Amino acid sequence: MLPPGSTIGILGGGQLGRMLAMAAMQLGYRCLGYAPPGDNVAADACADFFENGWGDRQALAAFAAKCDVVTWEFENVPLSAVAAIPANLLACPTRALEVAQDRLNEKGFIAQLGGRSAPYARVESDEDYARAIATVGTPGILKTARDGYDGKGQWRIASEREASGVRFPGKPCIYEGLVAFEAEFSVILVRSTAGELRFWDSTANHHEGGMLAQSLLPAGALIEAQVPAARALAAKTAQALGYVGVLTLEFFATKDGPVFNEMAPRVHNSGHWTIEGAATSQFENHIRAICGLPLGGTATRFASIDMRNIVGADALTAHSILSEPGEPHLHLYGKREAREGRKMGHVTRVGQALR
C-alpha cells in the first residue's frame, strides 16, 4: 500500500484527471499532472503540473522522478510517452493502451476472448473503402482507427449512394456495419493489484451526436438481462490485460444479446453518477486500486439515478440547476471556453435512498 503523502502521477489534464486528483486528496495523496500546454483543468486539483509535450523525454523523466505511481486519465496518451516512464511506476501494463488506441486491434482482441462486435473491415485505401462498402454493406460508419472520440473522426453512411460522397480520409480507418440495437449500456469494473474484481451497476446510456448525453438507473429489463454476459467478457478483458484500476466496456443491447462496441482503459463518463450514487465512486476506487488499498463497495445507493452532461454554452447558466427540487448535484469542470459540443460538466439527480 502506498502510504499517505505519496505522489500519484496522472498523464493527461482533462476533467477525468481533475476528478481523480480530487479523490486522491481525500485519501491523503498528492497528485502531479503531465500534459501538453492547453486548458488543463486537472491542474487546479494537482499539487504541481508539468505542461510539456508528449515527446519531451527530459520533462517526462523529471515528472516520473517525483512520482510513486503513475496512471493515465485518457487512452490516447502516446505509447512513446508512457514508455519514458519507468515500468515499475506504472500502475497498469501498457498493453491496455496498445489495444484501446487502435479500433482494429480492439475488435480483434475482443473476438479472441469470445466477444461479438459489429461486422467490420480494415480501410487503408480508396480500394479498401469500396471493398468494405461492398462486403459489410450499408448502413455503416467509417471511423479513423486511431484517435477520435465523442463522435469525432466518424462518418455515418446510410447507403451505397451516400458512400460516394464520403471520401477516404487518407489515414487508417475501420468501416463498421451499423448494429440494430434496442439500447446502449456500459460495464464499469475495478480490478485490484491482487486481481479482485468489482462491478458497478450498468446504466442505460443515451447519446446525441455520438457523445454521451445521459446515463440512467434503473437501466431497464433488457439491459439488466444482458449485463451478466457483458460482465463476463469485461472480466476476461481485465484478466487478459493484467489490468489495474477502472476499466470500461461499452455495449449495444440487441435482441440476440450484448454486442461489444468499444473499450476505455480508464474512468468513464457513464460512471460519473457513482460520485453521489454508489458506495464508492469510480474515481476513488481507481485510486484505491493503483495504490494497493482495499477496494470500496460498489453498491448503488438510490432507487433511481439520472446523470446528464452539461455541454457548451449550457455551462454558463448551469448554476440555475441548483434551485431545482430534489437537490441536484452539479459538477463543473472549470474549462475556460464553452465551445459547442464540449463537455463542460455534469449534473446527477438521485431518487429515494436504498436501505
Side-chain angles (χ1 to χ4, degrees):
M1 298 183 189
L2 282 187
S6 298
T7 298
I8 300 170
I10 301 174
L11 296 171
Q15 65 264 21
L16 300 181
R18 179 188 178 98
M19 288 183 274
L20 283 171
M22 291 166 70
M25 281 193 288
Q26 180 180 324
L27 294 173
Y29 296 115
R30 66 192 301 274
C31 287
L32 182 61
Y34 188 106
D39 193 3
N40 289 310
V41 295
D44 294 340
C46 290
D48 198 3
F49 202 93
F50 280 68
E51 282 205 331
N52 298 88
W54 293 123
D56 191 336
R57 297 185 69 85
Q58 185 175 354
L60 284 163
F63 163 78
K66 294 186 174 185
C67 298
D68 296 295
V69 67
V70 175
T71 188
W72 51 75
E73 62 106 38
F74 79 122
E75 63 268 38
N76 288 322
V77 177
L79 290 171
S80 58
V82 182
I85 307 295
N88 65 299
L89 291 181
L90 293 174
C92 184
T94 57
R95 175 66 173 148
L97 292 180
E98 293 170 0
V99 171
Q101 284 183 2
D102 188 293
R103 290 184 170 95
L104 289 158
N105 289 345
E106 187 180 64
K107 300 284 189 188
F109 180 80
I110 291 297
Q112 289 176 353
L113 297 177
R116 289 193 306 138
S117 61
Y120 68 93
R122 181 186 298 270
V123 176
E124 296 183 341
S125 66
D126 290 324
E127 291 76 20
D128 285 345
Y129 178 39
R131 193 177 304 114
I133 295 295
T135 56
V136 176
T138 56
I141 183 166
L142 182 68
K143 303 178 181 179
T144 54
R146 288 181 172 271
D147 302 319
Y149 60 93
D150 290 344
K152 301 176 179 68
Q154 301 184 11
W155 301 269
R156 288 185 177 272
I157 298 166
S159 64
E160 287 190 30
R161 180 177 179 180
E162 190 173 294
S164 62
V166 176
R167 305 291 298 175
F168 168 62
K171 60 178 68 175
C173 289
I174 182 172
Y175 178 73
E176 300 176 6
L178 288 186
V179 174
F181 63 89
E182 303 296 324
E184 296 179 80
F185 68 100
S186 50
V187 169
I188 305 178
L189 64 81
V190 61
R191 185 173 184 267
S192 72
T193 53
E196 179 188 1
L197 283 172
R198 295 192 180 189
F199 295 88
W200 285 270
D201 284 336
S202 289
T203 57
N205 298 329
H206 301 283
H207 294 77
E208 295 176 1
M211 184 170 71
L212 182 69
Q214 180 185 33
S215 293
L216 288 171
L217 281 174
L222 177 66
I223 289 173
E224 290 168 2
Q226 298 189 16
V227 163
R231 282 187 176 182
L233 179 61
K236 284 183 183 179
T237 302
Q239 290 287 116
L241 294 172
Y243 197 82
V244 176
V246 171
L247 173 70
T248 306
L249 272 69
E250 295 182 69
F251 292 89
F252 300 115
T254 77
K255 64 180 181 179
D256 299 317
V259 173
F260 170 79
N261 182 23
E262 59 187 27
M263 176 176 76
R266 55 170 171 80
V267 289
H268 196 258
N269 192 175
S270 66
H272 288 356
W273 65 270
T274 63
I275 298 173
E276 290 84 23
T280 310
S281 78
Q282 62 169 346
F283 301 100
E284 181 177 333
N285 255 343
H286 185 83
I287 298 299
R288 288 190 186 206
I290 67 172
C291 293
L293 304 180
L295 297 181
T298 54
T300 299
R301 299 175 55 226
F302 299 94
S304 63
I305 297 173
D306 180 347
M307 189 287 298
R308 296 173 187 256
N309 278 329
I310 298 169
V311 180
D314 287 347
L316 303 178
T317 57
H319 283 161
S320 64
I321 292 171
L322 297 175
S323 64
E324 295 177 2
E327 299 183 3
H329 301 274
L330 177 64
H331 299 258
L332 293 176
Y333 304 147
K335 296 181 179 181
R336 291 193 293 266
E337 186 180 354
R339 297 194 302 267
E340 183 178 355
R342 191 182 195 198
K343 293 175 184 174
M344 302 297 293
H346 71 271
V347 58
T348 302
R349 298 173 174 88
V350 300
Q352 186 176 2
L354 297 172
R355 296 190 178 214

